[in-house]
């Protein structure tokens, strides 16, 4: 028997069926779960709470059981079956943030399913594994960026904007095909400005810049200059560009200090005064 079979259930839905291997039980991965694994692949690591929220959105759309407990049990099964891997940030755990200390990434069978589906190729599998081997668990900034991107994805998915045939893409800025650090573009363009995440359609490019409140005016305005420089290149491909600076607060990352987001937002606004004319009262 093959270790991986692609089959259809009685309703015609595709699923991936993995046979039992040494120390790894058999498991079936349903099509909607494959779409979720794609998102985990994009993020590299996803907080447990974010992944549960994503699962709940898909299960609700399909009319399946929608409880956090049911999803947690399914995630445990996916980890035992090699589809996902669970890791814990001990620093967060010891700091009193036990629930926010768990992260999921793609396991060896999850990568195999993505490879079989054509979502990635062998080169990308190697790159992914090399990246995990070198990287540590996400920083607070990276976690907040991931949470924000996931919330945007869920918002669009629940409203039917994101579906199998939609042209909306949400990717990490470092992996973007033009803005990314390994993009196939001239050296003077590559890495010119790398957002935290990019939301892109055929006509619009939205760059997400997650702000932790630690970068000063020089750093922020330098980013604006590089975005303006990018807009002068042929690589914008007639897209409208929107850059959104998002201040971290407890609504995005519960493990951060609440802080005063409105005060930081005002500071960032003043950084841009030399570049933009603000509408009255804005």
């Amino acid at each position: 028997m093959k270790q991986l079979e692609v089959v259809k259930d009685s309703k015609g839905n595709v699923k991936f069926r993995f046979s039992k291997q040494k120390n790894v039980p058999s498991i079936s991965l349903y099509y909607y779960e494959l779409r979720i694994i794609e998102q985990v692949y994009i993020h590299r690591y996803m907080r447990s709470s974010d992944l549960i929220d994503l699962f709940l959105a898909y299960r609700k759309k399909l009319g399946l059981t929608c409880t956090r407990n049911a999803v947690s049990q399914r995630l445990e099964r996916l980890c035992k079956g090699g589809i996902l891997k669970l890791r814990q940030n001990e620093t967060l755990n010891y700091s009193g943030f036990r629930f926010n200390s768990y992260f999921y990434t793609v396991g060896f069978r999850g990568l195999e399913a993505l490879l079989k589906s054509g979502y990635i190729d062998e080169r990308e599998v190697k790159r992914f594994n090399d990246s995990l081997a070198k990287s540590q668990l996400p920083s607070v900034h990276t976690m907040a960026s991931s949470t924000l991107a996931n919330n945007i994805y869920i918002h669009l998915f629940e409203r039917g904007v994101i579906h199998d045939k939609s042209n909306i893409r949400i990717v990490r800025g470092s992996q973007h095909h033009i803005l990314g650090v390994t993009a196939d573009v001239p050296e003077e363009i590559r890495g010119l400005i790398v957002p935290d995440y990019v939301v892109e359609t055929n006509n619009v490019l939205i760059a997400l810049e997650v702000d932790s409140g630690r970068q000063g005016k020089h750093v922020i305005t330098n980013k604006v200059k590089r975005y303006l420089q990018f807009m002068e290149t042929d690589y914008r491909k007639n897209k409208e560009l929107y850059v959104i600076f998002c201040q971290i607060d407890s609504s995005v990352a519960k493990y951060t200090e609440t802080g005063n987001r409105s005060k930081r937002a005002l500071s960032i606004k003043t950084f841009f005064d030399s570049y933009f004319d603000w509408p009255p009262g804005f």
Side-chain angles (χ1 to χ4, degrees), residues 230-265:
F230 170 73
M231 288 299 291
E232 297 298 321
T233 71
D234 294 334
Y235 287 89
R236 62 175 286 192
K237 296 186 182 298
N238 298 317
K239 291 181 183 289
E240 295 182 20
L241 173 65
Y242 298 87
V243 182
I244 303 177
F245 285 83
C246 314
Q247 289 81 51
I248 297 176
D249 70 0
S250 59
S251 69
V252 174
K254 294 179 175 58
Y255 34 75
T256 65
E257 296 180 7
T258 302
N260 189 337
R261 193 169 75 158
S262 59
K263 184 177 179 180
R264 176 60 178 176

Side-chain angles (χ1 to χ4, degrees), residues 143-276:
M143 287 189 284
S145 303
S146 174
T147 296
L148 176 63
N150 187 59
N151 288 345
I152 291 173
Y153 182 96
I154 292 173
H155 178 84
L156 296 175
F157 174 77
E158 290 179 333
R159 283 152 184 77
V161 179
I162 287 181
H163 49 80
D164 285 350
K165 297 182 180 179
S166 65
N167 62 356
I168 295 179
R169 298 168 294 279
I170 301 180
V171 299
R172 289 186 301 131
S174 61
Q175 300 300 310
H176 189 263
H177 63 103
I178 294 175
L179 297 173
V181 292
T182 60
D184 186 19
V185 295
E187 187 174 345
E188 63 269 19
I189 301 298
R190 189 184 309 121
L192 174 64
I193 181 69
V194 183
D196 292 306
Y197 274 82
V198 175
V199 182
E200 186 175 20
T201 69
N202 289 340
N203 303 314
V204 176
L205 191 153
I206 303 173
L208 301 178
E209 292 282 353
V210 173
D211 175 64
S212 60
R214 297 174 181 173
Q215 294 182 333
K217 179 177 180 179
H218 173 75
V219 175
I220 299 294
T221 54
N222 188 257
K223 286 184 179 181
V224 175
K225 290 178 182 177
R226 284 180 283 153
Y227 276 115
L228 292 173
Q229 185 179 341
F230 170 73
M231 288 299 291
E232 297 298 321
T233 71
D234 294 334
Y235 287 89
R236 62 175 286 192
K237 296 186 182 298
N238 298 317
K239 291 181 183 289
E240 295 182 20
L241 173 65
Y242 298 87
V243 182
I244 303 177
F245 285 83
C246 314
Q247 289 81 51
I248 297 176
D249 70 0
S250 59
S251 69
V252 174
K254 294 179 175 58
Y255 34 75
T256 65
E257 296 180 7
T258 302
N260 189 337
R261 193 169 75 158
S262 59
K263 184 177 179 180
R264 176 60 178 176
L266 179 61
S267 296
I268 292 180
K269 175 181 173 293
T270 61
F271 295 166
F272 298 157
D273 284 347
S274 58
Y275 295 95
F276 303 103

Side-chain angles (χ1 to χ4, degrees), residues 13-24:
N13 298 316
V14 174
K15 66 178 180 180
F16 294 80
R17 188 161 60 198
F18 292 88
S19 60
K20 183 178 180 180
Q21 293 177 258
K22 185 178 180 180
N23 299 323
V24 184

Side-chain angles (χ1 to χ4, degrees), residues 18-84:
F18 292 88
S19 60
K20 183 178 180 180
Q21 293 177 258
K22 185 178 180 180
N23 299 323
V24 184
S26 62
I27 191 170
S28 291
L29 180 68
Y30 297 93
Y31 178 71
Y32 83 91
E33 293 178 323
L34 181 67
R35 298 303 306 272
I36 294 173
I37 301 304
E38 290 173 3
Q39 291 304 303
V40 181
Y41 174 84
I42 290 171
H43 289 251
R44 292 295 190 264
Y45 284 106
M46 286 188 73
R47 284 197 309 157
S48 173
S49 56
D50 291 342
L51 188 52
I52 290 174
D53 288 342
L54 185 56
F55 254 94
L56 287 173
Y58 269 90
R59 291 174 75 98
K60 182 178 180 181
K61 180 85 75 171
L62 294 170
L64 302 174
T65 304
C66 288
T67 66
R68 300 187 81 83
N69 184 56
V71 171
S72 295
Q73 290 179 5
R74 181 57 180 167
L75 288 173
E76 183 178 356
R77 171 94 171 118
L78 291 173
C79 286
K80 289 180 179 178
I83 303 295
L84 293 170

